[in-house]
Amino acid sequence: MTDPGREASDAASVTDVPAPARPTFSIGRSSVLLASGTLVSRALGLISLIILASAIGLNGAAGDAFALANQLPNNVYSLVAGGLLSAVLVPQIVKAGLHDDGGARFINKLITIGVVVFAIVTGIATACAPLLVSLYADAGFSESRLGLATAFAYWCLPQILFYALYSLIGETLNARGMFGPFTWAPVLNNVVAITGLVTFISLFGGADQNRNVGDWTAGHIALLAGSATLGIAVQAFALFFFLGRAGLKYRPDFHWRGVGLASTGRSASWVFAMFLVTQVSGVVEARVASTATGDASINVMKYGWLMFMLPHSIATVSIVTAYFTRMSAHVRDSRLDDLRTDISSALRSILLIMIFAAVGLAVLSFPFSAIFAPSYAEATSLAAVYLAFLPGLIPFTVFFVLLRVFYALDMTRAAFIIQVIQTTFFVSGALAVGAGAESGWIAKEWIAVGLALVLSAAVAVQAVLSALVLRRPLGHLDTRRVAGQALWFAAAAVPAGAVGWGILQLLGGVAAGAFPVADRFGAIVSMIVAGLGMAVVYFGLLWLTRNPELRAFGQPLLNRIRRRS
């Protein structure tokens, strides 16, 4: 039982405008809003990656040092709270919406404790920058390369606090049915990052001048890493302006007892353990990949992963983010039939896009890589890694949806056990790749490709196990209907991919000097032409065969166009 006096004092520090108990929103409209913001953000993100590659290259010591250091904030944040905020807090905030104040006290306390905890974590992590760099870098990193990565890390690690604020405020807004700010704020981050990179190149030149460790000064480091951190900070603080529109007025509240934070902590413990296990994979991957510096290594794997995540971020995350709040409400109200319906609908809607993306991006892997790579050799190494990641796109998508179901059902212990199995599988495979390279069985330039293939296989195992475990509480996942639609999508995607490959061959192929890979302009034009050709064939075949998923999406749009004409 809570203290009435404490509740009265709490009420004075929170909003005067209660929020509705249940967020009401359209899944379709929310998904489109999320996707549009993500599309703009990712487009700007791709531009920033292109400029970054032009500034420091792909297969070089400086690129690997910056990639390692700039990944550290993500790794530490993931360890402490990555996934925790969406996994635990969205269901808790949805439940708190039933409180007499619409959950405002809970949210105020939550934001305050988040700021305090992550400020402390950020300070400790920044002080430990040399130790963190040494943990993720193999002995193959020279002393000078370690020194450069450590200098970058001091500038990058403060991003932990800003990532936390962005996720904490963003997930709060999402739980209240306000999705726009969370998906559009990264646009500001990318604008700041692009400005910093353009300034860097204008002052210090391009990759030829900055590829080697000895080329770097304190000014180089501060501008490149500092602008990256500034972008994350702008992205985070921009969200505070939208709390009022969500019916919240934030004021720091240090009375952390009495509104259920203890139960949130208990739910979070298994999620924390899960991400702790995930970091084991990250350390092993980075250490094995760093042995290949000079060829495809840490930086190339980072670029390949970001390319892999592009369709996932635009389609999967946008759709699932909108569904997740509603799934949590279904669980809260014991509506498991509605939950199963949403799971099936989400999977079918996402697979409509992602199966086409997997086939289409495999066809376009070489021109896509050529957009970022300063040379054909680097484009080839990036394309090989990207192709090794792509088999994992569909299982990664399925797992992403099912993991949110675990969170909504508060089955975080089961998710942890599955993560342990996945991590064991990946670490075993990654160590085998490292051992094979050390013994000479695997060439150094194929280490990153081997790691990407192992990760794809590990994610597939994780997706299958997740589906099997969820059948017990839910009875079924509408597997036959989802699988039938997936096969239908694949049957249309294969001929679409063949048409795309044929278009690339007509444009000159993907050999050195060919138009689709000769320069950035040719790569972009080739992707547009071949991509449009594949889209026409894919969606045309699905429409002609009366696919219900595409018809459900397209028919209302056609009816609206007809009414206006």
Side-chain angles (χ1 to χ4, degrees):
M1 181 179 293
T2 59
D3 180 356
R6 174 68 57 79
E7 287 189 357
S9 66
D10 290 344
S13 67
V14 295
T15 179
D16 299 323
V17 184
R22 287 186 189 175
T24 56
F25 51 87
S26 162
I27 289 290
R29 186 180 301 111
S30 300
S31 298
V32 170
L33 178 62
L34 286 161
S36 62
T38 304
L39 183 61
V40 174
S41 174
R42 291 297 172 176
L44 292 174
L46 289 176
I47 293 172
S48 71
L49 286 175
I50 292 169
I51 301 173
L52 178 61
S54 299
I56 62 177
L58 287 178
N59 294 351
D64 284 342
F66 181 67
L68 188 152
N70 202 35
Q71 185 61 31
L72 286 178
N74 290 278
N75 293 340
V76 175
Y77 169 69
S78 295
L79 174 60
V80 177
L84 172 64
L85 298 178
S86 61
V88 177
L89 297 190
V90 169
Q92 294 293 337
I93 292 170
V94 170
K95 292 176 184 177
L98 297 176
H99 296 172
D100 57 359
D101 67 340
R105 281 193 299 274
F106 178 85
I107 292 169
N108 260 1
K109 294 173 189 292
L110 204 60
I111 295 174
T112 303
I113 194 173
V115 171
V116 171
V117 168
F118 281 102
I120 295 171
V121 170
T122 300
I124 294 173
T126 303
C128 296
L131 295 176
L132 290 171
V133 170
S134 298
L135 176 65
Y136 281 85
D138 185 77
F141 254 49
S142 65
E143 287 297 322
S144 59
R145 204 172 299 152
L146 281 172
L148 180 59
T150 302
F152 281 136
Y154 280 120
W155 282 93
C156 292
L157 282 166
Q159 294 173 19
I160 297 169
L161 175 61
F162 305 129
Y163 277 127
L165 288 175
Y166 168 71
S167 295
L168 185 60
I169 306 300
E171 294 295 358
T172 298
L173 295 173
N174 287 345
R176 313 281 284 202
M178 192 172 183
F179 299 101
F182 184 70
T183 191
W184 281 93
V187 171
L188 299 175
N189 171 21
N190 286 312
V191 169
V192 173
I194 290 171
T195 303
L197 289 168
V198 170
T199 305
F200 180 91
I201 292 175
S202 66
L203 292 176
F204 302 119
D208 291 340
Q209 290 76 41
N210 302 303
R211 195 182 299 270
N212 299 316
V213 174
D215 299 328
W216 288 76
T217 66
H220 287 72
I221 296 167
L223 180 54
L224 183 65
S227 60
T229 298
L230 178 62
I232 305 298
V234 171
Q235 170 183 291
F237 286 113
L239 292 184
F240 277 90
F241 293 103
F242 295 93
L243 283 174
R245 295 187 181 182
L248 298 167
K249 186 176 181 180
Y250 172 67
R251 293 175 184 174
D253 187 342
F254 295 92
H255 299 98
W256 295 340
R257 298 180 63 182
V259 292
L261 290 177
S263 63
T264 299
R266 286 192 295 271
S267 299
S269 60
W270 287 110
V271 180
F272 174 80
M274 182 171 67
F275 279 85
L276 177 62
V277 170
T278 302
Q279 290 309 302
V280 175
S281 297
V283 171
V284 172
E285 178 185 305
R287 292 184 68 88
V288 174
S290 66
T291 63
T293 293
D295 291 292
S297 183
I298 295 175
N299 199 32
V300 170
M301 289 202 71
K302 182 195 79 171
Y303 270 77
W305 181 253
L306 291 173
M307 292 161 64
F308 170 88
M309 288 294 290
L310 179 64
H312 172 79
S313 301
I314 294 173
T316 306
V317 174
S318 300
I319 295 173
V320 173
T321 300
Y323 268 103
F324 183 42
T325 301
R326 198 165 78 175
M327 287 180 182
S328 299
H330 290 332
V331 174
R332 179 194 65 188
D333 300 334
S334 300
R335 300 193 304 266
L336 292 187
D337 286 341
D338 291 338
L339 176 61
R340 282 190 292 266
T341 299
D342 273 359
I343 296 169
S344 175
S345 177
L347 284 171
R348 286 180 280 113
S349 298
I350 293 167
L351 290 175
L352 170 67
I353 305 299
M354 300 306 289
I355 288 177
F356 172 65
V359 174
L361 289 173
V363 171
L364 299 175
S365 57
F366 271 83
F368 196 10
S369 300
I371 292 175
F372 305 104
S375 68
Y376 181 74
E378 288 180 314
T380 301
S381 65
L382 178 56
V385 171
Y386 186 43
L387 282 169
F389 274 131
L390 280 176
L393 186 59
I394 302 305
F396 185 79
T397 294
V398 172
F399 170 68
F400 186 84
V401 176
L402 298 183
L403 183 60
R404 269 62 195 168
V405 181
F406 279 110
Y407 293 161
L409 292 168
D410 200 18
M411 292 177 59
T412 49
R413 180 175 178 270
F416 164 74
I417 294 172
I418 293 172
Q419 184 62 55
V420 170
I421 297 171
Q422 189 260 21
T423 298
T424 302
F425 184 100
F426 174 78
V427 168
S428 300
L431 292 176
V433 171
E438 187 175 353
S439 64
W441 294 349
I442 300 175
K444 189 173 73 167
E445 59 266 28
W446 291 102
I447 289 177
V449 174
L451 290 172
L453 285 173
V454 171
L455 182 59
S456 294
V459 171
V461 170
Q462 194 171 25
V464 171
L465 288 176
S466 298
L468 292 174
V469 170
L470 283 173
R471 289 179 60 128
R472 182 173 182 181
L474 294 178
H476 67 87
L477 296 175
D478 202 13
T479 306
R480 182 173 298 179
R481 185 179 181 189
V482 172
Q485 289 298 306
L487 291 173
W488 199 337
F489 302 149
V494 171
V499 169
W501 182 252
I503 292 173
L504 285 184
Q505 299 309 306
L506 291 174
L507 292 173
V510 294
F515 178 76
V517 293
D519 54 33
R520 192 165 292 135
F521 173 77
I524 293 173
V525 170
S526 299
M527 287 189 69
I528 293 173
V529 174
L532 285 175
M534 287 189 287
V536 168
V537 173
Y538 178 72
F539 292 107
L541 285 174
L542 290 179
W543 190 264
L544 291 173
T545 55
R546 306 185 69 82
N547 180 267
E549 302 304 322
L550 182 61
R551 290 270 174 168
F553 174 80
Q555 196 64 55
L557 181 61
L558 286 177
N559 292 339
R560 183 176 300 178
I561 293 173
R562 288 168 183 163
R563 285 196 300 268
R564 289 182 177 180
S565 61

